[in-house]
Every structure is written in structure tokens, then in C-alpha cells.
Amino acid sequence: HHIIVFVRPPNSARGSDTDVRAMRLLSGYAPGTRPFPFEPGMAKMIPAGSKLVFQMHYTPNGKPQKDRSSVGFAYIKPEEVTHWIGTTNASNHTFRIPPGADNHPVIADKTMEDDVLLVALFPHMHLRGKAFRYEARYPDGRSEILLDVPKYDFNWQYNFVLAEPKLLPKGTELHCEARFDNSEANLANPDPKSEVVWGDQTWEEMMIGWYDIALPIEKVRAAESTVDKSEPNSGS
């Protein structure tokens, strides 16, 4: 179903390898996903001493199988890094898709808390996923379609990388709209007679608008320095 690779830093507050709240998302794979090469100067950081934690989600097929999963990296010299890449999302966990609905909408929004460069978009749904659209709603009132996937396919989940990183000013709302087909006309539909809610299994559903952003490395280091200096007096 998927693989998600997390980074668990050595100074993580939580010690469990299954508690993803203490980890950073490094990379993910779903059926059809291709490698994601960053632009020159852009990178993710893995602190020395970190663990790489693979979250494996299998869908059984009734036969024993072998797992040969792996992850590969392209490295960059620290002095060449200009931007830090982060992965986050706009998601909706409370939807209910009625039985037989052939074009059910589900909405999720995320507001940018700082100026960011948008690098890539990755829509994620399951077998009833029909279409997915990302729209930027700017603070000045303008709006722009960033990505429109009219025929979503669970078996071909792409990371849509922008030809050039796009500035999303502070206050920009990332508006995501998914459409689901829970009808008999959807040949991949496990059960068109059931109401569908959020769930991990392939026959359940998800609505996640993943996206990757880039921040200037100087801003990230300044923020980390502020956190480090405040920790001794935090009382935690």
C-alpha cells in the first residue's frame, strides 16, 4: 500500500520507533511513485545519529511474499545548501462518503504561516479517489489553480514537481478539493453500498494533499538557534 520513511533524531523526546509524532517525514512511496530529485541547493537534513524508521503498510494477497524495500539518497555538501525542504499536507479526516455517490467532494485547507517556495504536490486517496485539485488563494484576493488531476488513479501516484519553485506569500491559503466515486461505475470500488470514512486500509479512504516547500537555510538555522537557546529555561 505504501512505505513512509521517517527520521527519528537522536535527541527525540519520545523513544518509541512507532510514535511518528517524534519524527520528521523524509520520503514516501505509493504505487507508481517516482524518485524525487531536488533542485540544486535544496536538501533535507538527517542529523547525525538519527534512525531511519520505515512505516510499512501491506495489503495481503493470500500468499507469502518477500520484501526488498530500500531507500536511496543523493548527497550534497553542507556549504552548497541554499534551501531546506520540508514535507507537510492539507488533509481532511472527518469526511463521510455516501453509498453510491459518484462525485462526492471533500475539502481541506492550509494557510501559509510564512513566505515559502512551493516545490512539489502529491495528492493521495485510495480506490474511490476520482479527482484532486490544488488552488492557491493569495492574500491580495487572487486565486490560481496549481494542479488539477481530473483522473486520479491509486496505482499511479505521482509527485508533481514544479518546473520552477513557486512563491506562496505568508497568508496564502492552499485549498485542496478531492472528488470520490463510490458508485458501481467505479470498477475499482470495493463496495459501492457502504458509507466510506477515513481509514488506513485500501478499501477505506484518505484525503491528503501532500506538498513540499523550501525555506532559505539561513532562516531555518536562525529558528533552530532560537529553539536551542530557549531549551535550558523551558522547564520541559
Side-chain angles (χ1 to χ4, degrees), residues 16-216:
S16 171
D17 282 344
T18 60
D19 190 345
V20 299
R21 293 173 297 173
M23 307 180 201
R24 303 174 184 174
L25 193 152
L26 180 64
S27 184
Y29 173 85
T33 305
R34 298 169 293 183
F36 182 12
F38 295 158
E39 291 291 320
M42 296 187 176
K44 288 189 174 184
M45 186 179 74
I46 305 175
S50 297
K51 278 189 175 182
L52 298 185
V53 180
F54 280 57
Q55 183 199 71
M56 312 293 298
H57 179 173
Y58 300 108
T59 298
N61 63 3
K63 298 180 181 179
Q65 302 290 328
K66 292 182 178 180
D67 188 307
R68 298 185 177 90
S69 300
S70 61
V71 62
F73 304 109
Y75 295 96
I76 183 172
K77 295 179 180 179
E79 62 271 17
E80 296 177 355
V81 177
T82 61
H83 288 78
W84 171 88
I85 296 285
T87 302
T88 184
N89 67 74
S91 60
N92 186 322
H93 295 241
T94 60
F95 59 82
R96 308 189 78 86
I97 306 172
D102 64 356
N103 195 35
H104 184 75
V106 177
I107 303 298
D109 298 309
K110 193 73 168 285
T111 301
M112 303 300 116
E113 298 179 357
D114 205 343
D115 292 351
V116 300
L117 288 176
L118 181 66
V119 176
L121 302 161
F122 189 106
H124 177 68
M125 302 178 285
H126 292 172
L127 296 176
R128 295 173 178 85
K130 178 180 181 178
F132 205 104
R133 176 182 286 184
Y134 292 80
E135 179 183 358
R137 296 178 175 177
Y138 298 106
D140 62 6
R142 294 180 301 115
S143 63
E144 179 183 13
I145 301 299
L146 300 173
L147 175 68
D148 190 359
V149 181
K151 294 183 179 180
Y152 177 87
D153 187 339
F154 175 82
N155 294 299
W156 294 101
Q157 299 184 54
Y158 290 139
N159 209 340
F160 293 88
V161 182
L162 278 65
E164 295 182 4
K166 187 174 189 63
L167 175 65
L168 299 183
K170 180 180 179 179
T172 300
E173 180 184 75
L174 189 63
H175 177 75
C176 299
E177 179 176 327
R179 296 277 175 166
F180 293 91
D181 185 353
N182 194 25
S183 72
E184 293 183 357
N186 177 4
L187 300 181
N189 193 346
D191 183 7
K193 297 180 180 180
S194 295
E195 180 182 62
V196 184
V197 297
W198 177 279
D200 290 339
Q201 296 299 331
T202 309
W203 56 85
E204 297 170 313
E205 269 303 335
M206 287 188 177
M207 187 284 187
I208 308 177
W210 292 104
Y211 60 99
D212 291 274
I213 56 174
L215 293 171

Side-chain angles (χ1 to χ4, degrees), residues 221-236:
R221 287 171 177 162
E224 290 178 343
S225 175
T226 301
V227 171
D228 291 342
K229 291 178 181 178
S230 65
E231 281 182 352
N233 300 318
S234 65
S236 59

